[in-house]
Amino acid sequence: ADLAGAEPCPLEGCEKFVLKFPQKILEQFVESFSFIQTLSVAPETSIVEDYLEWRWSNQWGPVPEGSQSIAKMRLVCMAQGDSEAILDQFDCLSPYDKNVLGWEMAMTGCRGQHFVRDTLAETEHHKKGPAFLVYYAPALMQRAGKKDPRGALVVLAEVFRKARLLWPLAARDIDKCVTVRIDALKELEVSSIMKPESGMQFVLSKTSSIEAVVQTKHIDEFQDLDWRKHQVLTFSTGRRTTLKRRRTQIS
């Protein structure tokens, strides 16, 4: 529906779906039906985990377990053909970024449900929420990640990190899911994301109780922002320090 609906003319959308849909992706799509058919008898999280295990075992063999295993399996699905590079670079990430991805991508947003291979039992995320759905994260991994897989992972980790500042962990939100839209990032190269145009900065803005969106803001607009609902996306220690100092001066 997303592929065909992206075209303004219905006929052209149908043609795009028939002629341009990658054969490999179509095969995986059809093969996933057997998992979806169990929705009426199995918990959602269990179905997702079974699917992730199936995808991983078909390509990589033994399925990982423990901390960060769910994150790795989800990233493989997101990256499609560039999954090997994504996995290699995931292992090279700093603990600062790797832990964020491992924790946030193993949250379910479903009360009483957890992934078997990564329960988060030894983390502060255990039995808390909300969980985050980063809308267009696969597009980020497939486009920006194709050229700079490590950079794309760092960007995704920062989005999760700043979303968590806007929605702190709470037991009452265990069954809540927040959509984080990154439309502004999905078409860009990593270099353009990490170093936007002079005077501009990417900001994660809380637009409702269940949604946030990445926007570009000029730093002159910072003085008018409600910092309870906005977080600046930063990708280096030096830049974080500079922006934090500027925000403090504005306050």
Side-chain angles (χ1 to χ4, degrees), residues 80-139:
Q80 300 293 352
D82 301 307
S83 54
E84 185 173 1
I86 291 290
L87 284 177
D88 288 343
Q89 292 304 312
F90 181 90
D91 290 331
C92 296
L93 290 175
S94 69
Y96 182 67
D97 291 322
K98 191 187 300 185
N99 287 336
V100 168
L101 292 173
W103 296 330
E104 299 296 351
M105 297 185 78
M107 299 189 72
T108 68
C110 297
R111 186 177 298 276
Q113 297 184 35
H114 62 265
F115 290 107
V116 174
R117 291 183 177 272
D118 188 356
T119 65
L120 296 174
E122 303 300 322
T123 74
E124 63 177 342
H125 290 64
H126 186 54
K127 294 185 177 180
K128 294 180 182 177
F132 297 123
L133 169 64
V134 181
Y135 205 84
Y136 285 126

Side-chain angles (χ1 to χ4, degrees), residues 56-92:
W56 181 283
S57 62
N58 281 347
Q59 185 173 1
W60 302 100
V63 181
E65 288 189 67
S67 177
Q68 300 161 5
S69 59
I70 296 299
K72 289 181 178 180
M73 288 191 283
R74 289 183 62 185
L75 288 167
V76 162
C77 291
M78 290 181 187
Q80 300 293 352
D82 301 307
S83 54
E84 185 173 1
I86 291 290
L87 284 177
D88 288 343
Q89 292 304 312
F90 181 90
D91 290 331
C92 296

Side-chain angles (χ1 to χ4, degrees), residues 2-33:
D2 188 52
L3 181 69
E7 299 294 334
C9 175
L11 179 59
E12 292 176 3
C14 293
E15 290 177 348
K16 183 176 181 181
F17 180 78
V18 173
L19 301 177
K20 297 183 179 181
F21 200 92
Q23 182 69 28
K24 183 178 179 180
I25 305 303
L26 180 59
E27 290 174 356
Q28 293 174 343
F29 178 62
V30 173
E31 289 173 349
S32 71
F33 291 172

Side-chain angles (χ1 to χ4, degrees), residues 14 35 38 71 78 83 85 89-90 95 108 116 129 175 184 191 193 199 212 216 222 224 244 251:
C14 293
F35 294 91
T38 63
M78 290 181 187
S83 54
Q89 292 304 312
F90 181 90
T108 68
V116 174
D175 54 357
S191 58
I193 297 174
T216 52
F222 282 12
D224 299 321
K244 184 176 181 180
S251 300

